[in-house]
Amino acid sequence: MDVANKKDDRELVESFKNGCEEAFDELAKRYSTKMFQTAFGLTGNRQDAEEVVQDALIRAYRSLHNFRGDSSFSTWVFRIVVNLSRNKYHWNRRRGAEITSSISEKIKDAENETKGDFEIADSKFDPFSMLQNAEAEKNVISLMKDLPEKLREVLILRHIEEKSYEQIAEILKCNLGTVKSRISRAREAMIEIVRREKENERGK
Amino acid sequence: MKEANKEKKCPEKEFLSLYADDMLSSDLPEFKHISACEKCKAEVMLYKKLGAVIQDSLFSAVPENFAETSVSKFRERLANEESKIIPFPVLVLARVASILFFLSSVIFFVSSLVTNEEENPPASFARSEDSSHEATTQLPSATNEKMVANNISPVSPQQQVSKGEASFQDNSVSFENMALTSAGASGQQLQRFSSYSNTDRPAQIPKIVRHVWSVKDIEAAKTRLVQIISQNKDGQENIHSRAKDNSRIKFALGKLQKKQLVEIVKQLSEEGFKLLSPQEPQPERQVFEGAPEEPVRYYFDIVKS
Protein backbone atom coordinates (compact mmCIF):
# COMPACT_ATOMS: atom_id res chain seq x y z
CA MET A 1 0.00 0.00 0.00
CA ASP A 2 2.80 2.25 0.95
CA VAL A 3 4.64 1.54 -2.27
CA ALA A 4 1.50 2.10 -4.32
CA ASN A 5 0.93 5.39 -2.55
CA LYS A 6 4.51 6.40 -3.21
CA LYS A 7 4.13 5.63 -6.83
CA ASP A 8 0.93 7.59 -6.95
CA ASP A 9 2.63 10.50 -5.25
CA ARG A 10 5.43 10.46 -7.79
CA GLU A 11 2.99 10.32 -10.67
CA LEU A 12 0.94 13.14 -9.24
CA VAL A 13 4.04 15.27 -8.78
CA GLU A 14 5.04 14.65 -12.39
CA SER A 15 1.55 15.50 -13.59
CA PHE A 16 1.61 18.73 -11.65
CA LYS A 17 4.98 19.64 -13.12
CA ASN A 18 3.48 19.07 -16.54
CA GLY A 19 0.72 21.56 -15.78
CA CYS A 20 -2.05 19.54 -14.16
CA GLU A 21 -3.41 21.58 -11.24
CA GLU A 22 -5.79 18.82 -10.11
CA ALA A 23 -2.78 16.65 -9.35
CA PHE A 24 -1.76 19.05 -6.62
CA ASP A 25 -5.30 19.14 -5.25
CA GLU A 26 -5.20 15.35 -5.01
CA LEU A 27 -1.92 15.44 -3.13
CA ALA A 28 -3.30 18.10 -0.82
CA LYS A 29 -6.39 16.03 -0.04
CA ARG A 30 -4.25 13.00 0.61
CA TYR A 31 -2.02 14.65 3.17
CA SER A 32 -3.85 17.63 4.63
CA THR A 33 -5.40 15.65 7.50
CA LYS A 34 -2.08 14.25 8.63
CA MET A 35 -0.52 17.65 8.15
CA PHE A 36 -3.15 19.11 10.43
CA GLN A 37 -2.55 16.45 13.07
CA THR A 38 1.18 17.06 13.00
CA ALA A 39 0.75 20.81 13.20
CA PHE A 40 -1.83 20.51 15.97
CA GLY A 41 0.45 18.24 17.98
CA LEU A 42 3.34 20.65 17.61
CA THR A 43 1.53 23.92 18.16
CA GLY A 44 -1.22 22.76 20.51
CA ASN A 45 -3.72 25.07 18.89
CA ARG A 46 -6.35 24.31 16.22
CA GLN A 47 -6.33 27.70 14.61
CA ASP A 48 -2.56 27.72 14.37
CA ALA A 49 -2.62 24.21 12.97
CA GLU A 50 -5.04 25.25 10.20
CA GLU A 51 -2.88 28.23 9.34
CA VAL A 52 0.19 26.04 9.24
CA VAL A 53 -1.53 23.64 6.85
CA GLN A 54 -2.54 26.47 4.54
CA ASP A 55 0.92 28.00 4.62
CA ALA A 56 2.48 24.61 3.97
CA LEU A 57 0.21 23.99 0.98
CA ILE A 58 1.05 27.38 -0.49
CA ARG A 59 4.74 26.79 0.03
CA ALA A 60 4.56 23.29 -1.43
CA TYR A 61 2.60 24.56 -4.41
CA ARG A 62 5.18 27.26 -5.14
CA SER A 63 8.22 24.97 -4.65
CA LEU A 64 6.97 21.74 -6.19
CA HIS A 65 8.39 22.56 -9.60
CA ASN A 66 11.85 22.52 -8.01
CA PHE A 67 11.24 19.30 -6.10
CA ARG A 68 13.95 16.90 -7.22
CA GLY A 69 12.51 13.75 -5.69
CA ASP A 70 15.51 13.00 -3.45
CA SER A 71 13.01 12.11 -0.75
CA SER A 72 9.39 11.12 -0.95
CA PHE A 73 6.75 13.79 -1.33
CA SER A 74 5.39 12.89 2.09
CA THR A 75 8.77 13.42 3.78
CA TRP A 76 9.25 16.69 1.95
CA VAL A 77 5.85 18.11 2.84
CA PHE A 78 6.06 17.03 6.48
CA ARG A 79 9.40 18.75 6.71
CA ILE A 80 7.67 21.95 5.63
CA VAL A 81 4.94 21.41 8.21
CA VAL A 82 7.45 20.83 11.01
CA ASN A 83 9.39 23.98 10.12
CA LEU A 84 6.28 26.13 9.93
CA SER A 85 4.99 24.69 13.19
CA ARG A 86 8.25 25.52 14.88
CA ASN A 87 8.03 29.10 13.64
CA LYS A 88 4.44 29.37 14.79
CA TYR A 89 5.26 27.91 18.18
CA HIS A 90 8.17 30.26 18.75
CA TRP A 91 6.14 33.22 17.56
CA ASN A 92 3.44 32.38 20.08
CA ARG A 93 5.95 31.95 22.86
CA ARG A 94 7.52 35.33 22.11
CA ARG A 95 4.10 36.87 22.31
CA GLY A 96 3.71 35.41 25.78
CA ALA A 97 1.60 32.35 25.13
CA GLU A 98 0.89 30.45 28.31
CA ILE A 99 3.27 27.77 29.39
CA THR A 100 1.56 25.47 31.80
CA SER A 101 4.59 24.38 33.77
CA SER A 102 8.34 24.52 33.96
CA ILE A 103 9.82 22.37 31.27
CA SER A 104 13.29 22.07 32.70
CA GLU A 105 11.99 20.93 36.06
CA LYS A 106 9.98 18.12 34.61
CA ILE A 107 12.54 16.92 32.13
CA LYS A 108 15.33 17.08 34.69
CA ASP A 109 13.43 14.69 36.89
CA ALA A 110 12.79 12.36 34.00
CA GLU A 111 16.41 12.37 32.95
CA ASN A 112 17.82 12.03 36.44
CA GLU A 113 16.55 8.48 36.72
CA THR A 114 19.43 6.05 36.46
CA LYS A 115 19.20 4.17 33.24
CA GLY A 116 17.89 0.67 33.73
CA ASP A 117 16.81 1.34 37.29
CA PHE A 118 13.22 2.38 37.82
CA GLU A 119 10.42 1.90 40.23
CA ILE A 120 7.84 -0.62 39.30
CA ALA A 121 4.76 1.13 38.02
CA ASP A 122 2.06 1.04 40.62
CA SER A 123 -0.54 -1.26 39.15
CA LYS A 124 -3.28 0.76 40.79
CA PHE A 125 -1.86 4.04 39.54
CA ASP A 126 -2.65 4.62 35.91
CA PRO A 127 -1.38 8.02 34.88
CA PHE A 128 -3.49 7.88 31.79
CA SER A 129 -6.75 7.30 33.52
CA MET A 130 -7.18 11.02 33.72
CA LEU A 131 -7.07 11.09 29.98
CA GLN A 132 -10.08 8.87 29.46
CA ASN A 133 -12.67 11.58 29.75
CA ALA A 134 -13.97 14.24 27.41
CA GLU A 135 -11.07 16.52 28.24
CA ALA A 136 -8.52 13.88 27.31
CA GLU A 137 -7.57 15.18 23.88
CA LYS A 138 -7.21 18.71 25.17
CA ASN A 139 -5.17 17.57 28.14
CA VAL A 140 -2.56 15.42 26.45
CA ILE A 141 -1.88 17.92 23.70
CA SER A 142 -1.65 20.79 26.15
CA LEU A 143 0.63 18.70 28.36
CA MET A 144 2.83 18.01 25.37
CA LYS A 145 3.59 21.72 25.18
CA ASP A 146 5.71 21.17 28.25
CA LEU A 147 8.05 18.92 26.32
CA PRO A 148 11.13 20.44 24.71
CA GLU A 149 10.50 21.06 21.04
CA LYS A 150 12.84 18.34 19.74
CA LEU A 151 11.22 15.67 21.91
CA ARG A 152 7.72 16.78 21.03
CA GLU A 153 8.44 16.59 17.33
CA VAL A 154 9.64 12.99 17.35
CA LEU A 155 6.73 11.86 19.48
CA ILE A 156 4.15 13.46 17.23
CA LEU A 157 5.72 12.17 14.05
CA ARG A 158 5.93 8.66 15.50
CA HIS A 159 2.22 8.59 16.24
CA ILE A 160 0.99 10.23 13.04
CA GLU A 161 0.69 7.49 10.48
CA GLU A 162 3.19 5.60 12.63
CA LYS A 163 6.13 6.93 10.72
CA SER A 164 9.20 4.73 10.93
CA TYR A 165 12.30 5.89 12.67
CA GLU A 166 14.03 6.21 9.32
CA GLN A 167 11.28 8.44 7.95
CA ILE A 168 11.40 10.60 11.07
CA ALA A 169 15.18 10.93 10.73
CA GLU A 170 14.72 12.00 7.11
CA ILE A 171 12.08 14.59 7.97
CA LEU A 172 14.04 16.08 10.81
CA LYS A 173 17.39 15.69 9.05
CA CYS A 174 19.09 13.94 11.94
CA ASN A 175 20.65 10.54 12.69
CA LEU A 176 18.69 7.39 13.33
CA GLY A 177 20.41 7.05 16.71
CA THR A 178 19.26 10.55 17.61
CA VAL A 179 15.68 9.66 16.78
CA LYS A 180 15.79 6.52 18.92
CA SER A 181 17.23 8.41 21.85
CA ARG A 182 14.76 11.28 21.55
CA ILE A 183 11.70 9.03 21.34
CA SER A 184 12.79 7.22 24.47
CA ARG A 185 13.42 10.45 26.35
CA ALA A 186 10.19 11.96 25.09
CA ARG A 187 8.16 9.04 26.41
CA GLU A 188 9.82 9.15 29.79
CA ALA A 189 9.33 12.87 30.03
CA MET A 190 5.70 12.65 28.98
CA ILE A 191 4.95 9.95 31.53
CA GLU A 192 6.51 12.07 34.22
CA ILE A 193 4.49 15.10 33.16
CA VAL A 194 1.26 13.13 33.23
CA ARG A 195 2.12 11.66 36.65
CA ARG A 196 2.70 15.11 38.07
CA GLU A 197 -0.49 16.40 36.58
CA LYS A 198 -2.36 13.54 38.11
CA GLU A 199 -0.86 14.28 41.52
CA ASN A 200 -1.80 17.93 41.16
CA GLU A 201 -5.33 16.94 40.31
CA ARG A 202 -5.52 14.70 43.35
CA GLY A 203 -4.15 17.42 45.55
CA LYS A 204 -6.89 19.88 44.57
CA MET B 1 27.56 -15.96 30.68
CA LYS B 2 27.50 -12.37 29.67
CA GLU B 3 24.31 -12.90 27.80
CA ALA B 4 22.78 -14.60 30.75
CA ASN B 5 23.64 -11.60 32.92
CA LYS B 6 22.16 -9.29 30.39
CA GLU B 7 18.98 -11.23 30.41
CA LYS B 8 18.69 -10.95 34.18
CA LYS B 9 19.24 -7.21 34.44
CA CYS B 10 16.58 -4.81 33.17
CA PRO B 11 17.87 -3.02 30.07
CA GLU B 12 18.04 0.71 29.50
CA LYS B 13 14.82 2.49 28.70
CA GLU B 14 15.79 3.05 25.10
CA PHE B 15 15.48 -0.70 24.58
CA LEU B 16 12.00 -0.63 26.08
CA SER B 17 11.04 2.15 23.71
CA LEU B 18 12.34 0.21 20.71
CA TYR B 19 10.54 -2.88 21.93
CA ALA B 20 7.28 -0.92 22.14
CA ASP B 21 7.74 0.15 18.51
CA ASP B 22 8.68 -3.36 17.33
CA MET B 23 12.09 -2.06 16.44
CA LEU B 24 14.10 -4.36 18.68
CA SER B 25 15.60 -7.47 17.16
CA SER B 26 14.32 -10.67 18.76
CA ASP B 27 17.84 -12.13 18.74
CA LEU B 28 19.06 -9.67 21.33
CA PRO B 29 19.20 -10.69 25.00
CA GLU B 30 17.42 -7.46 25.90
CA PHE B 31 14.45 -8.60 23.85
CA LYS B 32 14.29 -11.87 25.71
CA HIS B 33 14.49 -10.14 29.05
CA ILE B 34 11.75 -7.65 28.28
CA SER B 35 9.44 -10.40 27.03
CA ALA B 36 9.82 -12.21 30.34
CA CYS B 37 10.08 -9.34 32.83
CA GLU B 38 6.92 -7.95 34.45
CA LYS B 39 8.52 -4.63 35.28
CA CYS B 40 9.66 -4.07 31.73
CA LYS B 41 6.34 -5.19 30.27
CA ALA B 42 4.50 -2.74 32.49
CA GLU B 43 6.70 0.08 31.26
CA VAL B 44 6.23 -0.95 27.66
CA MET B 45 2.50 -0.96 28.26
CA LEU B 46 2.70 2.63 29.49
CA TYR B 47 4.52 3.63 26.32
CA LYS B 48 1.89 2.01 24.15
CA LYS B 49 -0.90 3.61 26.09
CA LEU B 50 0.75 6.99 25.74
CA GLY B 51 0.98 6.44 22.00
CA ALA B 52 -2.67 5.45 21.81
CA VAL B 53 -3.80 8.51 23.74
CA ILE B 54 -1.75 10.81 21.55
CA GLN B 55 -3.11 9.21 18.39
CA ASP B 56 -6.70 9.42 19.60
CA SER B 57 -6.25 13.04 20.59
CA LEU B 58 -4.78 13.99 17.27
CA PHE B 59 -7.34 12.09 15.24
CA SER B 60 -10.29 13.55 17.11
CA ALA B 61 -8.91 17.04 16.77
CA VAL B 62 -9.33 17.06 13.00
CA PRO B 63 -12.39 19.08 11.89
CA GLU B 64 -15.03 17.40 9.79
CA ASN B 65 -14.35 17.22 6.03
CA PHE B 66 -11.06 18.84 6.67
CA ALA B 67 -9.39 17.49 3.53
CA GLU B 68 -11.99 19.02 1.16
CA THR B 69 -12.33 22.30 3.00
CA SER B 70 -8.57 22.79 3.30
CA VAL B 71 -8.11 22.34 -0.45
CA SER B 72 -10.85 24.85 -1.29
CA LYS B 73 -9.44 27.35 1.24
CA PHE B 74 -6.02 26.84 -0.28
CA ARG B 75 -7.35 27.59 -3.77
CA GLU B 76 -9.14 30.69 -2.54
CA ARG B 77 -6.04 32.00 -0.86
CA LEU B 78 -3.91 31.24 -3.89
CA ALA B 79 -6.30 33.18 -6.11
CA ASN B 80 -6.23 36.16 -3.71
CA GLU B 81 -2.46 36.20 -3.57
CA GLU B 82 -2.03 35.92 -7.29
CA SER B 83 -4.40 38.81 -7.91
CA LYS B 84 -2.14 40.98 -5.78
CA ILE B 85 0.96 40.06 -7.71
CA ILE B 86 2.17 42.93 -9.83
CA PRO B 87 3.20 42.00 -13.39
CA PHE B 88 6.95 41.95 -13.80
CA PRO B 89 7.25 44.80 -16.36
CA VAL B 90 5.19 47.05 -14.10
CA LEU B 91 7.40 46.08 -11.18
CA VAL B 92 10.53 46.95 -13.14
CA LEU B 93 9.11 50.30 -14.19
CA ALA B 94 8.13 51.08 -10.61
CA ARG B 95 11.63 50.23 -9.40
CA VAL B 96 13.29 52.39 -12.05
CA ALA B 97 10.96 55.29 -11.24
CA SER B 98 11.72 55.05 -7.52
CA ILE B 99 15.49 55.00 -8.19
CA LEU B 100 15.24 58.04 -10.45
CA PHE B 101 13.16 59.85 -7.86
CA PHE B 102 15.71 59.08 -5.17
CA LEU B 103 18.62 60.28 -7.32
CA SER B 104 16.87 63.51 -8.24
CA SER B 105 16.12 64.21 -4.56
CA VAL B 106 19.76 63.67 -3.68
CA ILE B 107 20.91 65.98 -6.50
CA PHE B 108 18.39 68.62 -5.46
CA PHE B 109 19.48 68.42 -1.84
CA VAL B 110 23.18 68.68 -2.67
CA SER B 111 22.66 71.60 -5.05
CA SER B 112 20.59 73.45 -2.47
CA LEU B 113 23.36 72.99 0.07
CA VAL B 114 25.94 74.32 -2.38
CA THR B 115 23.76 77.32 -3.22
CA ASN B 116 23.28 78.00 0.45
CA GLU B 117 27.00 77.97 1.09
CA GLU B 118 27.63 80.39 -1.73
CA GLU B 119 25.22 82.91 -0.31
CA ASN B 120 26.12 82.34 3.32
CA PRO B 121 29.67 81.15 3.69
CA PRO B 122 30.68 79.92 7.14
CA ALA B 123 31.94 82.55 9.55
CA SER B 124 35.63 82.07 9.13
CA PHE B 125 38.82 83.90 9.05
CA ALA B 126 41.74 83.12 6.84
CA ARG B 127 45.14 84.20 5.82
CA SER B 128 46.30 84.37 2.27
CA GLU B 129 48.80 81.80 1.38
CA ASP B 130 50.80 84.12 -0.73
CA SER B 131 50.19 87.61 0.50
CA SER B 132 52.55 89.21 -1.99
CA HIS B 133 49.79 89.33 -4.52
CA GLU B 134 47.39 92.16 -4.64
CA ALA B 135 43.90 91.71 -3.53
CA THR B 136 41.90 92.04 -6.68
CA THR B 137 38.35 91.26 -5.79
CA GLN B 138 35.96 92.31 -3.16
CA LEU B 139 33.91 89.84 -1.23
CA PRO B 140 30.14 89.84 -1.63
CA SER B 141 28.34 92.27 0.61
CA ALA B 142 26.66 89.53 2.61
CA THR B 143 30.08 88.21 3.49
CA ASN B 144 31.28 91.63 4.49
CA GLU B 145 28.29 92.07 6.78
CA LYS B 146 29.05 88.81 8.47
CA MET B 147 32.64 89.78 8.93
CA VAL B 148 31.60 93.04 10.55
CA ALA B 149 29.20 91.18 12.80
CA ASN B 150 32.08 88.97 13.84
CA ASN B 151 34.29 91.96 14.43
CA ILE B 152 36.24 91.28 11.34
CA SER B 153 37.20 94.31 9.26
CA PRO B 154 35.54 94.16 5.86
CA VAL B 155 37.61 93.51 2.85
CA SER B 156 38.65 96.38 0.73
CA PRO B 157 40.04 95.87 -2.70
CA GLN B 158 43.62 96.28 -3.72
CA GLN B 159 45.17 95.79 -0.39
CA GLN B 160 48.49 94.21 -0.17
CA VAL B 161 50.10 92.53 2.75
CA SER B 162 53.70 91.49 2.74
CA LYS B 163 54.55 88.01 3.74
CA GLY B 164 54.72 87.48 7.43
CA GLU B 165 53.09 90.74 8.39
CA ALA B 166 49.98 90.70 10.44
CA SER B 167 47.93 93.65 11.37
CA PHE B 168 46.22 93.49 14.75
CA GLN B 169 44.88 96.96 14.88
CA ASP B 170 41.40 97.32 16.22
CA ASN B 171 41.44 93.72 17.37
CA SER B 172 41.09 92.51 13.89
CA VAL B 173 43.24 90.07 12.10
CA SER B 174 44.32 91.06 8.67
CA PHE B 175 41.33 89.68 6.95
CA GLU B 176 42.06 91.68 3.99
CA ASN B 177 43.99 88.60 3.08
CA MET B 178 41.01 86.41 3.50
CA ALA B 179 40.39 84.26 0.47
CA LEU B 180 41.13 87.03 -1.97
CA THR B 181 43.81 85.21 -3.79
CA SER B 182 43.86 81.59 -4.56
CA ALA B 183 46.37 79.25 -3.12
CA GLY B 184 49.62 78.91 -4.97
CA ALA B 185 51.76 81.25 -7.05
CA SER B 186 49.46 81.41 -9.99
CA GLY B 187 47.60 84.39 -8.57
CA GLN B 188 44.21 83.13 -9.65
CA GLN B 189 41.27 84.67 -7.93
CA LEU B 190 39.26 82.62 -5.52
CA GLN B 191 35.77 82.85 -6.88
CA ARG B 192 33.65 81.24 -4.28
CA PHE B 193 33.99 80.26 -0.67
CA SER B 194 32.23 77.07 -1.39
CA SER B 195 34.91 75.84 -3.74
CA TYR B 196 37.28 74.91 -0.97
CA SER B 197 40.10 72.60 -1.73
CA ASN B 198 40.95 70.13 0.95
CA THR B 199 43.51 72.46 2.47
CA ASP B 200 41.12 75.39 2.33
CA ARG B 201 38.20 73.62 3.99
CA PRO B 202 37.43 75.35 7.31
CA ALA B 203 39.21 73.62 10.14
CA GLN B 204 38.15 73.66 13.72
CA ILE B 205 40.39 74.99 16.46
CA PRO B 206 39.47 73.43 19.78
CA LYS B 207 39.29 75.40 22.98
CA ILE B 208 42.46 73.80 24.26
CA VAL B 209 45.30 73.28 21.84
CA ARG B 210 48.31 71.14 22.63
CA HIS B 211 51.34 71.29 20.39
CA VAL B 212 54.85 69.95 20.39
CA TRP B 213 57.51 71.88 18.50
CA SER B 214 60.88 70.51 17.62
CA VAL B 215 63.93 72.86 17.51
CA LYS B 216 67.68 72.50 17.19
CA ASP B 217 68.71 75.00 19.85
CA ILE B 218 66.34 75.19 22.76
CA GLU B 219 67.74 78.34 24.39
CA ALA B 220 67.74 80.37 21.19
CA ALA B 221 64.32 79.02 20.35
CA LYS B 222 62.97 80.06 23.72
CA THR B 223 64.17 83.62 23.27
CA ARG B 224 62.70 83.94 19.80
CA LEU B 225 59.49 82.28 20.89
CA VAL B 226 58.89 84.78 23.66
CA GLN B 227 59.45 87.61 21.21
CA ILE B 228 56.91 86.19 18.77
CA ILE B 229 54.33 85.62 21.45
CA SER B 230 54.82 89.11 22.85
CA GLN B 231 54.28 90.62 19.41
CA ASN B 232 51.04 88.80 18.94
CA LYS B 233 49.79 88.76 22.45
CA ASP B 234 50.14 92.32 23.70
CA GLY B 235 52.83 91.62 26.17
CA GLN B 236 54.23 88.77 28.13
CA GLU B 237 51.44 88.27 30.57
CA ASN B 238 50.07 84.81 31.03
CA ILE B 239 53.07 83.11 29.54
CA HIS B 240 54.10 80.30 31.84
CA SER B 241 57.00 78.08 31.22
CA ARG B 242 58.66 75.24 32.97
CA ALA B 243 61.88 73.56 31.95
CA LYS B 244 61.62 69.82 32.33
CA ASP B 245 65.26 69.36 31.53
CA ASN B 246 67.78 70.57 28.97
CA SER B 247 65.86 68.96 26.16
CA ARG B 248 62.28 70.04 26.87
CA ILE B 249 60.43 73.18 27.97
CA LYS B 250 56.69 73.32 28.62
CA PHE B 251 54.67 76.44 27.92
CA ALA B 252 51.16 77.50 28.74
CA LEU B 253 49.45 80.55 27.29
CA GLY B 254 46.21 81.83 28.69
CA LYS B 255 43.90 84.55 27.42
CA LEU B 256 44.82 83.93 23.84
CA GLN B 257 42.53 84.58 20.91
CA LYS B 258 42.25 82.11 18.08
CA LYS B 259 43.44 84.60 15.51
CA GLN B 260 46.50 85.28 17.67
CA LEU B 261 47.19 81.59 17.96
CA VAL B 262 46.96 81.17 14.22
CA GLU B 263 49.49 83.92 13.69
CA ILE B 264 51.85 82.57 16.37
CA VAL B 265 51.80 79.12 14.81
CA LYS B 266 52.50 80.55 11.38
CA GLN B 267 55.40 82.62 12.60
CA LEU B 268 56.94 79.84 14.63
CA SER B 269 56.89 77.69 11.55
CA GLU B 270 58.54 80.41 9.52
CA GLU B 271 61.25 80.71 12.18
CA GLY B 272 62.17 77.08 11.71
CA PHE B 273 60.14 75.51 14.50
CA LYS B 274 58.86 72.16 13.37
CA LEU B 275 55.34 71.22 14.47
CA LEU B 276 55.15 67.57 15.46
CA SER B 277 51.53 67.34 16.61
CA PRO B 278 48.53 67.21 14.26
CA GLN B 279 46.05 69.35 16.17
CA GLU B 280 44.81 72.54 14.47
CA PRO B 281 45.91 75.19 13.72
CA GLN B 282 48.57 73.90 11.42
CA PRO B 283 50.99 76.41 9.89
CA GLU B 284 49.82 75.89 6.30
CA ARG B 285 46.12 76.11 7.11
CA GLN B 286 44.13 78.88 5.47
CA VAL B 287 40.61 78.80 6.73
CA PHE B 288 39.20 78.18 10.16
CA GLU B 289 35.78 78.00 11.66
CA GLY B 290 34.41 80.19 14.39
CA ALA B 291 35.00 83.76 15.47
CA PRO B 292 38.61 84.99 15.50
CA GLU B 293 38.30 86.39 19.02
CA GLU B 294 37.19 83.16 20.55
CA PRO B 295 39.43 82.33 23.50
CA VAL B 296 41.76 79.43 23.36
CA ARG B 297 44.28 77.99 25.76
CA TYR B 298 47.57 77.01 24.27
CA TYR B 299 49.82 74.42 25.83
CA PHE B 300 52.95 73.53 23.97
CA ASP B 301 56.31 71.96 24.48
CA ILE B 302 59.52 72.70 22.68
CA VAL B 303 61.82 69.76 22.43
CA LYS B 304 65.33 69.47 21.16
CA SER B 305 65.51 67.64 17.88
Side-chain angles (χ1 to χ4, degrees), chain A residues 37 55 113 126 165 187-188, chain B residues 17 21 47 49 59 77:
Chain A
Q37 289 168 348
D55 290 344
E113 290 186 40
D126 181 1
Y165 284 29
R187 283 171 169 155
E188 284 305 306
Chain B
S17 182
D21 289 335
Y47 290 169
K49 210 163 189 179
F59 287 148
R77 185 173 153 179

Side-chain angles (χ1 to χ4, degrees), chain A residues 21 24-25 32 36-37 40 46 50 54-55 61-62 113 126 137 140 158-160 165 187-188, chain B residues 13 17-18 21 43 47 49 51 55 57-61 66-67 70 73-75 77-78 81:
Chain A
E21 291 287 321
F24 187 87
D25 290 354
S32 57
F36 176 87
Q37 289 168 348
F40 180 63
R46 274 201 182 79
E50 287 186 27
Q54 289 299 311
D55 290 344
Y61 180 84
R62 295 232 162 95
E113 290 186 40
D126 181 1
E137 67 210 44
V140 76
R158 175 66 197 146
H159 295 293
I160 305 284
Y165 284 29
R187 283 171 169 155
E188 284 305 306
Chain B
K13 293 201 176 166
S17 182
L18 291 169
D21 289 335
E43 192 76 9
Y47 290 169
K49 210 163 189 179
Q55 265 187 337
S57 305
L58 293 175
F59 287 148
S60 57
F66 181 76
S70 69
K73 273 187 192 172
F74 156 71
R75 282 290 167 192
R77 185 173 153 179
L78 198 63
E81 286 189 9

Side-chain angles (χ1 to χ4, degrees), chain B residues 122 124-127 178-179 190 193 196 199-204 280 284-289:
Chain B
S124 61
F125 58 94
R127 294 173 285 107
M178 184 174 72
L190 187 64
F193 281 107
Y196 293 124
T199 56
D200 291 340
R201 194 164 295 160
Q204 202 178 32
E280 297 290 354
E284 72 280 3
R285 266 296 195 177
Q286 302 297 309
V287 187
F288 300 95
E289 283 184 0

Side-chain angles (χ1 to χ4, degrees), chain B residues 135-138 155-159 180:
Chain B
T136 54
T137 52
Q138 189 167 14
V155 176
S156 53
Q158 296 181 352
Q159 287 189 347
L180 296 178

Side-chain angles (χ1 to χ4, degrees), chain B residues 184-256:
Chain B
S186 62
Q188 288 174 355
Q189 296 177 11
L190 187 64
Q191 299 293 325
R192 290 154 49 163
F193 281 107
S194 58
S195 60
Y196 293 124
S197 65
N198 279 340
T199 56
D200 291 340
R201 194 164 295 160
Q204 202 178 32
I205 300 176
K207 288 180 183 174
I208 298 173
V209 175
R210 296 180 199 276
H211 276 167
V212 177
W213 296 93
S214 166
V215 296
K216 286 180 184 165
D217 184 341
I218 274 203
E219 285 306 319
K222 183 180 173 184
T223 310
R224 186 64 190 124
L225 185 140
V226 170
Q227 286 172 352
I228 289 170
I229 291 172
S230 305
Q231 282 170 12
N232 287 286
K233 205 186 163 304
D234 305 328
Q236 294 187 23
E237 291 175 0
N238 296 311
I239 304 174
H240 304 282
S241 69
R242 182 161 56 103
K244 291 273 283 178
D245 50 43
N246 287 341
S247 62
R248 191 180 197 105
I249 305 176
K250 299 179 86 65
F251 286 86
L253 295 185
K255 294 188 180 180
L256 194 66

Side-chain angles (χ1 to χ4, degrees), chain B residues 67-120:
Chain B
E68 286 76 21
T69 53
S70 69
V71 173
S72 56
K73 273 187 192 172
F74 156 71
R75 282 290 167 192
E76 248 179 68
R77 185 173 153 179
L78 198 63
N80 282 342
E81 286 189 9
E82 280 176 357
S83 67
K84 288 177 191 167
I85 292 172
I86 302 168
F88 185 69
V90 175
L91 198 63
V92 169
L93 277 173
R95 288 252 169 103
V96 168
S98 62
I99 290 167
L100 285 173
F101 177 75
F102 174 72
L103 284 173
S104 58
S105 329
V106 167
I107 292 167
F108 176 76
F109 178 69
V110 169
S111 62
S112 65
L113 272 180
V114 164
T115 314
N116 203 28
E117 276 193 6
E118 279 179 26
E119 291 175 4
N120 301 304

Side-chain angles (χ1 to χ4, degrees), chain A residues 2-69:
Chain A
D2 204 31
V3 173
N5 276 345
K6 275 189 182 173
K7 273 190 178 173
D8 288 340
D9 285 354
R10 229 177 280 147
E11 283 171 2
L12 289 170
V13 168
E14 282 310 310
S15 301
F16 174 73
K17 284 182 179 181
N18 292 331
C20 176
E21 291 287 321
E22 286 77 19
F24 187 87
D25 290 354
E26 181 55 39
L27 285 167
K29 271 187 202 160
R30 197 174 282 185
Y31 288 104
S32 57
T33 305
K34 299 253 183 275
M35 286 162 72
F36 176 87
Q37 289 168 348
T38 305
F40 180 63
L42 294 177
T43 60
N45 181 289
R46 274 201 182 79
Q47 196 177 352
D48 287 345
E50 287 186 27
E51 282 175 18
V52 164
V53 169
Q54 289 299 311
D55 290 344
L57 289 174
I58 295 280
R59 202 178 274 200
Y61 180 84
R62 295 232 162 95
S63 318
L64 198 51
H65 287 287
N66 300 326
F67 177 62
R68 291 191 302 260

